[in-house]
Amino acid sequence: MVNYKDLGLVNTREMFKRAVAGGYAIPAFNFNTMEQMQAIVMAAVETKSPVIMQVSKGARNYANATILRYMAEGAVAYAKELGCEHPEIVLHLDHGDSFELCKDCIDMGFSSVMIDGSSLPYEENIALAKKVVDYAHQFDVTVEAELGVLAGVEDEVVAAESHYTKPEEVIDFATRTGCDSLAISIGTSHGAHKFTPEQCTLVNGVLVPPPLAFDVLHEIEKKLPGFPIVLHGSSSVPMDEVNTINQFGGHLEAAIGIPEEQLREASKSAVCKINIDSDSRLAMTAAIRKHLAEHPGDFDPRQYLKPARENMKKMYIHKIVNVLGSDGKLAIK
Ligand code: G3H
Ligand code: 13P
Ligand code: ZN
């Protein structure tokens, strides 16, 4: 049993309070590899931003649970080495699908967990989230729960279609579960194919997807004033990365994300955590494809992973500074 405080990590409570009050959002970046972790830490340190490093069940299976936990501890030490004396780094379980998985993460040093019971019937979602909250709060670990279903695939949680969060349920859900933050469904979805071209409007040669359901978000905010709200599925799927991938041998068709202006707008509300995974995957893949196409003789992974890391770092900094607005928001600079 290891407590996250001994690893130099923090939970989400204080950073969310400041983000809601300050009208910005904390970036929650998924990671599976050392290069992603390094790029996240470099970006957070350079911008003086708090950051949530999140790990899915799939990431734990890929990278090994023990290794990921030491990587998070290493991330804190690395941030200090880069000159940030008081980094605010959260190690968060993304889309936990059982009490046992959440408990395992809490016992291994995670400072925050998500229990995703969004595909369960309402009462079962509440019972599962409350069980996780009761365990997590003993160790001052914060808990994100989800109400409403995102379209697409949420790890192993499959939903054929999106069901927006019902504002009339959020007070009951938040009160009875005791969760610290609430992930909602207002039109985002996971992956790089969030909308079909048919769902979009062509504006100046660019496919513009339908807007997020800000009316639902504002209803929820009215019901739960100041309560931390989370947006999943918030990659923007930058066209330049998609084009680079396709130019250098990839084949990504109809990749469409959430326009950044909408995420900027959401960040100013009670949305205080924005989840981004696919954009990091695209930045990494684009840089690797480009490098290998231009340097066909290279076979040392450092030769192509270095530009990949640089490209991810650039993307993370862009999100922090130009979209979420969390730059310069460390409690102690
Ligand atoms: O929401 C899902 C995240 O993008 C994690 O995806 O399960 O493929 O690691 P993953
Ligand atoms: P994207 O696939 O849009 O990056 O969403 C990631 C996410 O929500 C992780 O939980
Ligand atoms: Zn998600």
Side-chain angles (χ1 to χ4, degrees):
M1 173 93 199
V2 53
N3 188 276
Y4 68 89
K5 290 174 189 168
D6 298 329
L7 307 182
L9 298 161
V10 297
N11 69 20
T12 57
R13 196 167 291 119
E14 290 306 314
M15 66 172 70
F16 281 177
K17 219 183 269 174
R18 300 197 315 263
V20 174
Y24 59 92
I26 308 292
F29 298 130
N30 289 70
F31 78 107
N32 298 261
T33 73
M34 181 185 75
E35 287 75 15
Q36 284 176 307
M37 180 275 265
Q38 290 170 318
I40 293 168
V41 174
M42 287 189 279
V45 168
E46 267 185 42
T47 57
K48 299 185 169 45
S49 173
V51 74
I52 297 170
M53 295 182 33
Q54 57 187 15
V55 169
S56 69
K57 184 176 169 180
R60 273 169 57 96
N61 290 341
Y62 172 78
N64 177 278
T66 307
I67 288 178
L68 283 171
R69 174 257 213 238
Y70 280 103
M71 280 169 78
E73 188 175 5
V76 176
Y78 183 42
K80 289 184 179 168
E81 197 181 305
L82 290 175
C84 180
E85 275 182 58
H86 302 283
E88 289 175 61
I89 300 178
V90 174
L91 177 62
H92 175 78
L93 170 67
D94 191 25
H95 294 286
D97 61 356
S98 67
F99 171 77
E100 290 70 28
L101 176 60
C102 292
K103 178 181 181 302
D104 206 35
C105 288
I106 293 164
D107 293 350
M108 275 187 91
F110 280 58
S111 56
S112 174
V113 293
M114 174 191 192
I115 178 68
D116 182 356
S118 62
S119 65
L120 297 173
Y122 183 70
E123 288 297 330
E124 285 176 40
N125 188 1
I126 290 186
L128 179 59
K130 182 171 166 25
K131 189 173 175 190
V132 172
V133 168
D134 287 345
Y135 185 75
H137 282 183
Q138 293 177 67
F139 307 100
D140 205 17
V141 168
T142 40
V143 179
E144 173 184 327
E146 179 167 336
L147 194 52
V149 182
L150 272 69
V153 177
E154 302 195 53
D155 291 1
E156 269 109 56
V157 182
V158 182
E161 59 183 78
S162 156
H163 301 280
Y164 289 165
T165 305
K166 296 188 184 109
E168 62 274 20
E169 288 181 347
V170 297
I171 297 177
D172 182 61
F173 186 84
T175 312
R176 286 173 60 201
T177 60
C179 65
D180 301 281
S181 60
L182 181 65
I184 61 165
S185 172
I186 57 165
T188 62
S189 62
H190 292 102
H193 302 86
K194 301 186 190 299
F195 306 95
T196 61
E198 294 72 41
Q199 291 173 299
C200 302
T201 320
L202 197 62
V203 181
N204 299 328
V206 179
L207 285 172
V208 179
L212 298 179
F214 279 100
D215 52 336
V216 175
L217 170 60
H218 294 141
E219 273 303 299
I220 292 170
E221 282 184 298
K222 265 194 240 157
K223 302 268 184 200
L224 291 175
F227 194 81
I229 301 296
V230 178
L231 277 194
H232 281 249
S234 296
S235 278
S236 304
V237 189
M239 260 312 111
D240 54 343
E241 303 295 7
V242 173
N243 290 341
T244 303
I245 289 172
N246 288 338
Q247 185 187 341
F248 293 104
H251 186 72
L252 282 180
E253 265 186 65
I256 302 167
I258 310 293
E260 288 186 338
E261 312 78 69
Q262 295 196 31
L263 298 171
R264 219 172 274 133
E265 191 180 334
S267 301
K268 291 182 188 143
S269 69
V271 170
C272 64
K273 172 176 182 270
I274 291 197
N275 286 12
I276 296 171
D277 187 359
S278 298
D279 283 355
S280 166
R281 298 174 179 192
L282 291 167
M284 185 174 207
T285 302
I288 291 173
R289 278 196 179 277
K290 182 171 190 294
H291 182 90
L292 290 177
E294 290 174 347
H295 306 85
D298 280 0
F299 64 95
D300 178 342
R302 292 172 296 188
Q303 290 166 317
Y304 52 86
L305 290 177
K306 194 171 173 196
R309 190 170 63 192
E310 275 307 306
N311 206 33
M312 288 189 286
K313 177 184 163 190
K314 196 175 94 189
M315 185 277 292
Y316 293 137
I317 290 178
H318 165 68
K319 297 288 179 184
I320 288 170
V321 175
N322 301 317
V323 185
L324 280 65
S326 63
D327 51 310
K329 299 297 196 297
L330 287 174
I332 308 171
K333 279 148 199 132

